[in-house]
Amino acid sequence: MNNKVAVITGGNRGLGKDTVLSLAKKQIDSVFTYRSHKQEADEVVKHAAKLGAKAVAIQLDLSDILGFTEFSTQLQHVLHSHWQQPQFNYLINNAGFGLDNSFMDTTESQFDSLMTVHVKGPFFLTQTLAPHIADGGRIVNVSSGLTRFTLPGKAAYATMKGAVEVMTKYLAKELAHRNIAVNVVAPGAIATDFGGGSVRDNHAINNRISSITAMGRVGEPADIGAMIAQLLGDENRWMTGQRLEVSGGMLL
Ligand SMILES: NC(=O)c1ccc[n+]([C@@H]2O[C@H](COP(=O)([O-])OP(=O)(O)OC[C@H]3O[C@@H](n4cnc5c(N)ncnc54)[C@H](OP(=O)(O)O)[C@@H]3O)[C@@H](O)[C@H]2O)c1
């Protein structure tokens, strides 16, 4: 029998990369997307192979909504050639970018770019791919701790993640008849390239976040990827429409 297959957006680095590799450790294969960093994507494919799982990378820009049909066709091709099947099991809407500005200074173009990648992209990508998710499969959307607590400069970004959380509930309701569970994972601040790598590289920011986090440090990608891999375990089949915060107790 084939391994299960996950489709993960933004799998070449950060949380998406760790999710591909955490799934690989559980012998779950992946088709993951990258936007511009092909070399990083190729390294992730090799790393997954070393862990005994298959991974295939496909280029995707989430702001190119019209390109989703072509992406779906490419995905079908890949599923047939690598797994001899038309469907996959898990969709993880992870890709995204950070943008800091106050509510008063946020421009329409900043708002629109965040909206396109964080809301419109996952909404229509999921709509395009849902027919190809096997019944009994799962969807995980990636949100942020910033929907529960507020930090300066995050108004527009957090607004988008709020929409992702509402979308999750509606998807959970509409896909339940196919036994597809849909949940949202909300990470706290994680040391990745996100937002220019400030959580990882800026000592003042890193110390400040550590001081407001119950577990006394910022998150690492492995804190999230492993959790998503565990969330996709068969044992969790009865949980749907839920928001799971994974922040080490940030601003409890
Ligand atoms: N890091 C945090 O503190 C944190 C906290 C809470 C939530 N999150 C959320 O977690 C998710 C992953 O963040 P991360 O920390 O892993 O960020 P990251 O290290 O900066 O990685 C971002 C990933 O998203 C891809 N991406 C960016 N813009 C894209 C677009 N327009 N179309 C398609 N792919 C695009 C990137 O591809 P390329 O590299 O090829 O450009 C990359 O693979 C995001 O949704 C983010 O909002 C992050």
Side-chain angles (χ1 to χ4, degrees):
M1 206 179 74
N2 273 337
N3 285 357
K4 296 226 166 102
V5 182
V7 172
I8 300 158
T9 62
N12 54 295
R13 59 191 163 105
L15 310 187
K17 171 183 173 179
D18 197 79
T19 302
V20 173
L21 299 179
S22 296
L23 290 170
K25 285 177 196 159
K26 290 179 173 284
Q27 267 56 67
I28 295 173
D29 296 336
S30 296
V31 180
F32 70 87
T33 72
Y34 63 96
R35 178 187 49 168
S36 48
H37 294 99
K38 182 173 185 321
Q39 220 173 339
E40 281 181 358
D42 291 341
E43 290 303 316
V44 175
V45 169
K46 282 188 210 153
H47 195 156
K50 280 190 193 144
L51 294 168
K54 210 182 287 184
V56 177
I58 306 181
Q59 198 276 337
L60 174 72
D61 186 341
L62 275 174
S63 54
D64 177 20
I65 312 282
L66 291 176
F68 289 176
T69 307
E70 166 58 23
F71 173 75
S72 179
T73 305
Q74 263 182 285
L75 176 61
Q76 286 303 300
H77 235 72
V78 164
L79 288 169
H80 278 289
S81 58
H82 290 264
W83 289 276
Q84 297 75 51
Q85 61 188 40
Q87 292 192 305
F88 63 97
N89 307 94
Y90 312 122
L91 173 62
I92 298 139
N93 285 308
N94 161 76
F97 69 99
L99 193 158
D100 277 28
N101 210 347
S102 68
F103 175 84
M104 290 306 288
D105 291 335
T106 299
T107 64
E108 186 181 0
S109 98
Q110 288 175 331
F111 186 96
D112 285 346
S113 62
L114 282 166
M115 175 68 111
T116 304
V117 172
H118 286 277
V119 183
K120 207 171 162 189
F123 189 106
F124 287 105
L125 186 69
T126 305
Q127 187 187 73
T128 306
L129 299 185
H132 308 294
I133 301 175
D135 288 2
R138 310 280 182 79
I139 298 174
V140 174
N141 296 320
V142 177
S143 175
S144 166
L146 290 161
T147 59
R148 178 179 61 79
F149 49 77
T150 63
L151 288 180
K154 308 295 186 187
Y157 169 78
T159 298
M160 305 307 152
K161 292 302 197 184
V164 168
E165 296 188 5
V166 172
M167 179 176 83
T168 300
K169 283 191 208 164
Y170 277 83
L171 269 173
K173 184 81 174 168
E174 292 203 15
L175 295 179
H177 71 284
R178 293 177 51 203
N179 273 324
I180 294 176
V182 189
N183 293 294
V184 64
V185 168
I190 315 291
T192 67
D193 295 330
F194 187 79
S198 58
V199 172
R200 184 190 54 213
D201 303 333
N202 181 316
H203 289 304
I205 292 176
N206 188 296
N207 288 339
R208 163 94 183 114
I209 290 166
S210 300
S211 75
I212 56 172
T213 300
M215 291 194 172
R217 64 170 175 84
V218 304
E220 296 295 332
D223 293 324
I224 306 301
M227 180 272 176
I228 292 175
Q230 194 243 11
L231 177 62
L232 293 174
D234 290 342
E235 302 82 357
N236 283 321
R237 63 182 176 270
W238 197 235
M239 181 169 61
T240 195
Q242 302 305 302
R243 175 188 188 272
L244 301 150
E245 188 170 309
V246 195
S247 69
M250 194 170 163
L251 284 167
L252 278 181

